Every structure is written in C-alpha cells, then in structure tokens.
Amino acid sequence: MKRKAVLLTAVTAAMMTVSACGTNSENTAGEVNVDQATEAASQTAEGSINEGAAPAAETSKEPVKVVWWHSMGGELGKAATQLVTDFNASQQDIVVEEVYQGTYDESLNKMKASMDDKSGPSLIQVYEIGSRFMIDSGAVTPVQQFIDGEGYSLADLEPNIANYYTFDGKQYSMPFNTSNPILYYNKTLFKNAGLDPEKPPATFEEVAEAAKKLTKDGVTGGSFAIYGWFMEQLFANQGADYVDNGNGRTAAATASLVNTDAGVKTLEWWKSLIDNKTMLNLGRKTDDTKKAFIAGQVAMTLDSTASLRGIVDGVGDKFEVGTAFLPKPAASGDGGVVVGGASLWILNNKPEAEQQAAWTFMKYLAEPATQAKWHINTGYFPITTKAYDEQIVKDNLAKYPQFQTAIDQLHATKAMPATQGAVMGVFPEARQLVETAIEEAFSGQKTPKAALDDAAAAITEKIATYNKTVSK
C-alpha cells in the first residue's frame, strides 16, 4: 500500500494541470460543461481482489454501500443524482451514494490523498487521458476480473469505445461518457457563399477553400479553439501515432511524436488560415468558439459531439446547422477519431462485497435503456450498440439528424493504434504544452516546426521522469 501511495503522490501532481477531452470550455473539466441536461450517472466499487480471481460478493443482510466520485457538475450532476436514485429504487441490496468531486483533476487529487486511510470512493470517474496513470497507480481492480468471473459479454459494446480502455488484452475500466469531435457548419452561409450546403469540406484543402469564400460581410470562415484534444484527433484522423511504442500501447511511451510531419503540416495549415484572416483565433475555450458559431459570426467550428444538442438548440431557427466528419489532409491515409470523455474505475482497497456491488451498478449503467437516456440528454455516445434500438434514441435522431454524422464517424473509424488512442502518464501536461506551442506559432513567436519541436522535447522529458517514478 505504501508503494501505491508514493506513486500516486509523485505522479498525480504531474497530471493536475489540464483535464480531458470532449466539450472543452476552459480545457479543464472534461465534458462537464456540456450545454444540455443529462440523465445519467455512474458508479462503481473497489476492493482487495486477488489478481486473476473472480470477485465474490459477501453475504450481508444490510445493503452494501457504494460511494461513487464523479466530475459531472451542473445539469449533468442533477442527472447523475437521478440515475443513482433510479438504481437505488430498483433493488434493495445496494445503496449507491454519488459525490461530485470537482474537475477530473481535482477528483484524482482527492483520490490520491485518500488512499492511505481508505476514505476514498468505491468507484471513480476518470477522464480518458488519465488511464495510464490509473493502471500504473496499482490502485484499481480491472473490470476484466468481473467480466471473466461471471462470463459477462462485451459483444454489444461499441468496439472503438471498448478498445480505448483495453490494455494488453484486458479491460481495465468501463466506458461511461464518450464523445468525439465533428465539424459544425452554417448551411445558410454556405449557400449564400455559393457552396453546396450538402457537401461540407472533408479535407484541409477544402476547409481552406471554403473558409476563403465564407469570409465576407462581417463573417469569418471559421474558428477552432486552441485545444490539444483537437491536435490529438487530427493526428488519429491521418492514421498517425501521437507517441512512440505503438502509441504507448505495445510498451510504455518514451517519446512524443507531436513534431512529426502529421503535426507540422497540421499546424502550418491551421496557422495559414489564421494568417490570411479566414479563421479567427479566439483562444483556448471552446465555449467562445461555440458562442461565435451560434451567433453566426463564424461559419465553421470544431466541437465535441456532446455539444450538438446545445448548439442546435442555441441556433434555433436562425440558420440550419450542418455537421461533417473531422477534416484531414487530402493525401493522408486511413484513420479516424479517438473516443473522448471518461470511464469508471473500481478501486481495490475496498471489501470484495463493495467492489462486486460497484460492478453491479456499473452493469446497470451499461444497459441499453440507461445508455439511451444518457445519450439523448447529453450527446454522449451510447457505449452499447443495442441502445440504438431504443425508441427514444430513434425519436432523438429524427429530431437531431445531425447526430448521425457522429455515429457514422465513429463506425467508419479504422481500428489501429492511432485511433485506439495514445497513452502516457503525463498526458494532461502534454496537452497543455501542445496548446502553448499552437499559441506560439499563431503569434509568430516560433515557426510551427520549432514550436512543436520544443513541445515534443518537453513532453519527452516529462515522460522519462514519469517512467522512472513508475519503475521504482
């Protein structure tokens, strides 16, 4: 236990600077700032289960209490509370208590501080880029043990979602809130500019051409937030790894690849749009680019699929919102998007009965009906394909047909290390360093190549420090 505490103390501090993907209002709380109400929450449990042994619940007349720490604030928090209420009312053997712990970073810090005295949760929601850290912490029971113990089938999980949270053939956590980025565009402005509103730009070159035609009459072609998640996604869409060693999947990552051709060409393209004033630089907050798009000030933007309902509802009848796949260079090969959001982890310093109860709740959250409610109220993907058979999902797609783009993009993604997602223990810091590099390039302080070279060197150094800490 002391080793786990030392590792958590040494490494968590390196992770507490930036949060993970999805809707990024301030690059902080993952998708906590989604502009919609939600009807979902998640919970799990932890306990001391021997590696390889199937968890077994202890017999007790009293209901088993499961404490779930999450980072769903605002309306999402209300929805989480409702899900917990529904689950508790559905049976008498388990009582789940949900506790909002702030941003993903803040929640992880609190988990680290709780390890020695076991005052922490049974189950914790962790953003996707915290996965390597959670595994290295030694503080979790892989959900694969529960899966194997009862023969639970993963056949209905979305493959590209499940793959992200699979390491060395083992499922470590259960996906919960999942998204990817798409291109949003103003169909009315496209038509006025002589562009076909039913044929959105699919490549970097087409985005540049469209942006030039759209920039007129006080409107700018577009604006993409300076968000490291977008750079990560643009790498994956080109089939390019973000770190070495199979994107950190075949062995621990040792070096950043952000300064390779995929990164340099992407940043040069992006900077050229800023320089010729067909794209606005509105900074790091996706809330700012979203507001500009809703107001009709920019014709295109990148944002999470989890923002779709908020954007469409915000626009109302001012114009028709179009959605398209994430663009990529015309000459690039196969690729796709990496899932964003967060998953649920069971901690291993709790009794077996508590961990088993957490697993039971986790399965409830993965049920098609539960995922259907979560999906239609948030824009997050259902983690199970069977959720699409639910009538409320069909009705929602009829009301928001733009979401079909996100579903198609997920299913069109080619399975490979690039789209499985990069993993490294210092991902939050790496994301922030990439955002700084983008800013340096846009301001002319450095060339795109120099800015990314410096970022790659800094990230590689931090990876080395982290790897030394883990190996102790």
Side-chain angles (χ1 to χ4, degrees):
M1 189 62 215
K2 287 185 177 179
R3 180 189 177 280
K4 293 174 186 174
V6 170
L7 177 58
L8 283 163
T9 301
V11 178
T12 303
M15 298 186 59
M16 299 303 117
T17 53
V18 178
S19 67
C21 84
T23 297
N24 175 44
S25 66
E26 297 184 6
N27 287 5
T28 51
E31 301 191 354
V32 171
N33 296 304
V34 176
D35 297 331
Q36 306 99 2
T38 48
E39 287 213 323
S42 57
Q43 305 154 354
T44 44
E46 307 130 292
S48 307
I49 294 181
N50 295 327
E51 186 76 19
E58 298 171 357
T59 303
S60 174
K61 293 181 180 180
E62 295 296 323
V64 179
K65 182 179 179 180
V66 170
V67 177
W68 174 48
W69 284 7
H70 66 83
S71 296
M72 300 283 94
E75 293 301 317
L76 292 176
K78 294 178 183 178
T81 299
Q82 185 60 55
L83 267 194
V84 171
T85 299
D86 292 345
F87 174 76
N88 287 340
S90 72
Q91 45 74 53
Q92 298 180 339
D93 298 326
I94 302 168
V95 174
V96 175
E97 176 185 326
E98 52 89 16
V99 184
Y100 174 67
Q101 293 290 359
T103 68
Y104 292 129
D105 290 333
E106 292 168 342
S107 183
L108 269 181
N109 252 339
K110 293 174 183 177
M111 186 196 83
K112 175 263 297 183
S114 74
M115 294 305 296
D116 281 340
D117 61 11
K118 298 186 179 180
S119 63
S122 320
L123 175 73
I124 186 169
Q125 178 192 28
V126 178
Y127 53 4
E128 90 285 17
I129 61 173
S131 297
R132 182 74 263 167
F133 168 78
M134 290 298 291
I135 295 171
D136 292 338
S137 73
V140 303
T141 297
V143 298
Q144 190 69 50
Q145 291 186 216
F146 300 90
I147 293 167
D148 293 342
E150 64 182 63
Y152 180 81
S153 175
L154 298 176
D156 295 325
L157 284 186
E158 285 279 6
N160 287 327
I161 296 177
N163 283 346
Y164 187 97
Y165 298 103
T166 301
F167 303 86
D168 299 323
K170 181 185 296 185
Q171 192 89 30
Y172 271 84
S173 61
M174 181 67 83
F176 177 54
N177 51 307
T178 303
S179 67
N180 63 47
I182 54 178
L183 179 73
Y184 293 83
Y185 67 100
N186 184 321
K187 285 191 172 184
T188 301
L189 290 177
F190 264 61
K191 185 176 181 180
N192 293 343
L195 297 167
D196 187 342
E198 303 308 319
K199 291 184 178 180
T203 66
F204 283 5
E205 295 81 359
E206 290 172 355
V207 168
E209 182 180 352
K212 187 178 298 184
K213 294 180 179 179
L214 290 160
T215 301
K216 62 178 182 177
D217 302 327
V219 173
T220 305
S223 183
F224 303 157
I226 298 175
Y227 190 11
W229 188 50
F230 293 156
M231 181 64 83
E232 296 152 25
Q233 295 287 349
L234 291 168
F235 260 73
N237 208 25
Q238 299 174 56
D241 289 355
Y242 207 61
V243 293
D244 66 350
N245 292 333
N247 236 2
R249 297 279 179 169
T250 57
T254 62
S256 167
L257 303 179
V258 73
N259 61 334
T260 53
D261 284 348
V264 175
K265 290 178 180 178
T266 295
L267 188 51
E268 288 176 342
W269 160 75
W270 195 350
K271 176 176 166 56
S272 71
L273 301 178
I274 300 295
D275 289 346
N276 66 22
K277 302 186 186 306
T278 59
M279 281 271 181
L280 290 180
N281 174 15
L282 297 177
R284 298 192 184 196
K285 298 180 182 180
T286 55
D287 270 358
D288 292 339
T289 53
K290 186 189 311 179
K291 289 174 182 176
F293 179 77
I294 290 173
Q297 297 168 350
V298 299
M300 296 181 286
T301 194
L302 294 181
D303 214 318
S304 167
T305 54
S307 292
L308 191 148
R309 179 173 172 176
I311 288 175
V312 173
D313 290 350
V315 168
D317 58 4
K318 288 183 290 188
F319 59 86
E320 185 178 358
V321 177
T323 54
F325 283 17
L326 193 69
K328 62 181 180 180
S332 64
D334 290 337
V337 289
V338 181
V339 299
S343 65
L344 306 177
W345 298 75
I346 294 176
L347 300 190
N348 63 14
N349 64 347
K350 302 296 180 182
E352 292 183 12
E354 193 172 325
Q355 294 187 61
Q356 186 67 47
W359 168 243
T360 298
F361 178 69
M362 195 181 279
K363 289 188 293 183
Y364 169 82
L365 294 175
E367 290 177 1
T370 307
Q371 281 295 305
K373 293 177 183 178
W374 177 244
H375 161 68
I376 67 169
N377 287 291
T378 67
Y380 291 119
F381 286 108
I383 67 170
T384 172
T385 57
K386 286 189 175 180
Y388 293 107
D389 295 330
E390 298 288 320
Q391 190 59 46
I392 59 173
V393 172
K394 295 177 181 178
D395 293 343
N396 188 67
L397 276 173
K399 183 176 181 180
Y400 299 98
Q402 296 94 337
F403 198 82
Q404 188 65 47
T405 297
I407 298 170
D408 292 344
Q409 181 173 243
L410 179 69
H411 292 164
T413 293
K414 304 294 183 181
M416 60 180 70
T419 58
Q420 191 176 11
V423 286
M424 54 178 150
V426 295
F427 216 140
E429 282 188 305
R431 184 172 283 179
Q432 190 175 62
L433 285 165
V434 170
E435 290 168 2
T436 298
I438 295 171
E439 290 173 336
E440 291 172 339
F442 285 176
S443 68
Q445 182 180 346
K446 298 177 183 178
T447 65
K449 180 67 164 62
L452 292 177
D453 281 344
D454 290 346
I459 294 168
T460 298
E461 182 178 355
K462 291 183 182 298
I463 291 174
T465 300
Y466 173 88
N467 288 347
K468 289 177 182 177
T469 302
V470 172
S471 65
K472 289 182 179 179

